[in-house]
């Protein structure tokens, strides 16, 4: 069970005792790097997959309740549970960039048009 668990701290490149500010900073840095405008078309599928992962990691670690559960080894339903959760709208301070991402819903799809 533990082995297939994602390491959200590792995914964001932060220490286990990172504070919320550090977590947000790490997430923004990664998210900007994976932004469709920054990624060649051939790598966009991979970037989108990674983006979804870091979004999930950020969602769990930026919420004290979810993070507590995660740290205790309990099951945490991030956005993959089908319920929209906070999605990108819920990010404190808003999402770090305009365009690029479709707003809404639990699917962090890129908008390529």
């Amino acid at each position: 069970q533990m082995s297939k668990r994602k390491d959200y701290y590792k995914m964001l490149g932060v220490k286990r005792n990172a504070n919320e500010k550090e977590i947000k900073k790490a997430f923004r840095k990664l998210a900007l790097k994976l932004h469709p405008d920054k990624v060649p078309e051939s790598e966009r599928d991979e970037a989108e997959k990674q983006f979804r992962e870091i979004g999930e990691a950020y969602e769990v670690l930026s919420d004290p309740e979810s993070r507590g559960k995660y740290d205790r080894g309990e099951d945490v339903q991030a956005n993959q549970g089908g319920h929209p959760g906070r999605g990108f709208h819920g990010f404190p301070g808003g999402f770090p960039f305009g365009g690029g991402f479709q707003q809404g819903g639990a699917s962090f799809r890129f908008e390529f048009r």
Side-chain angles (χ1 to χ4, degrees), residues 55 58-59 79 83-91 95 103-108:
Y58 178 71
E59 193 185 346
N79 253 337
H83 60 88
R86 286 179 305 163
F88 281 147
H89 301 300
F91 284 135
F95 205 56
Q103 290 300 307
S107 56
F108 308 133

Side-chain angles (χ1 to χ4, degrees), residues 32-43:
L32 279 169
K33 208 173 77 182
L34 296 170
H35 191 281
D37 295 344
K38 302 255 195 308
V39 179
E41 206 150 331
S42 59
E43 291 168 29

